[in-house]
């Protein structure tokens, strides 16, 4: 059998060669970041988002990434001690806030503790905030107060020196307007945040370092 050959005009060959260039290089494949895992509060893990559904464990998201699972709500949330029951008190090391654009935009409030222990916590909206002991009112900007209460915790060491000095923090300027410490006494550490309204929020916990993260919907 003979193979039939077709002659191409020289001009057509040059035209085909001219079409191959840098524009024809394939675009790089995008990569996606890791996200935290939503699990029930009864089964805490190194990366725990307080929610109603249970998912398979995954790598914890970084501070700058908002967990995309679930839109949050306004219900009070309870976080169990991690790992399990521990003795003594967890020391508060840092409190910080930021704005994140993921999933429609969130304001983030982070509580970081020294060591591996995360103390039990209750996070929810309250009618007003007050100082423990004296009962003096804590004035906050905004139309709603989001209260964060830790037990088995302290913000001072055995020498009564504070482990986190600022007692008031300005908000990032969108949804959380400010946050103030209201208690560090007999194993209770309490902070209250002034929020522009009763916005939906969700709670996530992380290890390495030990953190409790509250994301409030903008």
């Amino acid at each position: 059998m003979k193979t039939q050959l077709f002659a191409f005009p020289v001009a057509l060959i040059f035209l085909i060669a001219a079409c191959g260039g840098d524009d024809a290089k394939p675009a790089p494949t995008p990569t996606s970041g890791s996200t935290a895992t939503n699990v029930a509060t009864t089964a805490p893990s190194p990366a725990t988002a307080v929610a109603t559904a249970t998912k398979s464990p995954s790598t914890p998201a970084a501070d700058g990434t908002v967990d995309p699972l679930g839109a949050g709500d306004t219900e009070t949330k309870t976080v169990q001690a991690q790992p399990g029951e521990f003795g003594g008190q967890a020391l508060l090391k840092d409190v910080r806030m930021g704005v994140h654009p993921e999933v429609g935009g969130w304001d983030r409030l982070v509580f970081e503790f020294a060591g591996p222990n995360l103390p039990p916590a209750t996070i929810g909206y309250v009618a007003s905030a007050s100082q423990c002991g004296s009962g003096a009112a804590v004035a906050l900007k905004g139309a709603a107060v989001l209260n964060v209460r830790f037990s088995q915790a302290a913000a001072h060491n055995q020498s009564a020196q504070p482990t986190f000095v600022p007692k008031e923090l300005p908000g990032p300027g969108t949804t959380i307007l400010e946050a103030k410490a209201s208690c560090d006494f007999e194993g209770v550490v309490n902070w209250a945040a002034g929020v522009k309204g009763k916005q939906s929020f969700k709670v996530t916990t992380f290890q390495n370092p030990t953190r409790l993260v509250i994301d409030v919907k903008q």
Side-chain angles (χ1 to χ4, degrees), residues 9-202:
V10 175
L12 180 59
I13 295 175
F14 282 120
L15 179 60
I16 294 173
C19 292
D22 292 339
D23 292 341
K25 293 181 180 179
T29 302
T31 58
S32 58
S34 300
T35 61
T37 303
N38 273 21
V39 299
T41 56
T42 56
S45 66
T48 303
V50 180
T52 57
T54 301
K55 303 284 184 180
S56 300
S58 66
T59 303
D63 264 3
T65 303
V66 174
D67 174 18
L69 302 178
D73 54 52
T74 60
E75 298 300 317
T76 297
K77 295 166 180 58
T78 301
V79 177
Q80 297 179 358
Q82 297 178 25
E85 294 296 330
F86 64 89
Q89 296 177 343
L91 294 180
L92 182 67
K93 180 180 178 181
D94 189 27
V95 182
R96 54 187 179 268
M97 285 189 276
V99 178
H100 300 278
E102 298 93 336
V103 204
W106 302 78
D107 279 13
R108 170 166 283 194
L109 176 59
V110 179
F111 294 89
E112 182 178 333
F113 290 85
N117 294 328
L118 180 73
T122 302
I123 305 97
Y125 285 105
V126 295
S128 60
S130 60
Q131 293 286 347
C132 64
S134 69
V138 176
L140 289 164
K141 299 175 183 177
V145 177
L146 185 61
N147 195 67
V148 185
R149 183 185 188 275
F150 297 98
S151 56
Q152 286 183 254
H156 63 276
N157 58 23
Q158 294 182 348
S159 301
Q161 298 300 312
T163 54
F164 180 70
V165 176
K167 302 301 181 185
E168 300 182 9
L169 294 175
T174 53
T175 301
I176 301 176
L177 305 181
E178 61 181 339
K180 296 181 180 181
S182 59
C183 192
D184 177 21
F185 183 66
E186 294 187 345
V188 174
V189 170
N190 203 103
W191 277 71
V195 184
K196 72 176 183 180
K198 199 173 181 180
Q199 305 293 103
S200 294
F201 70 96
K202 51 189 176 182

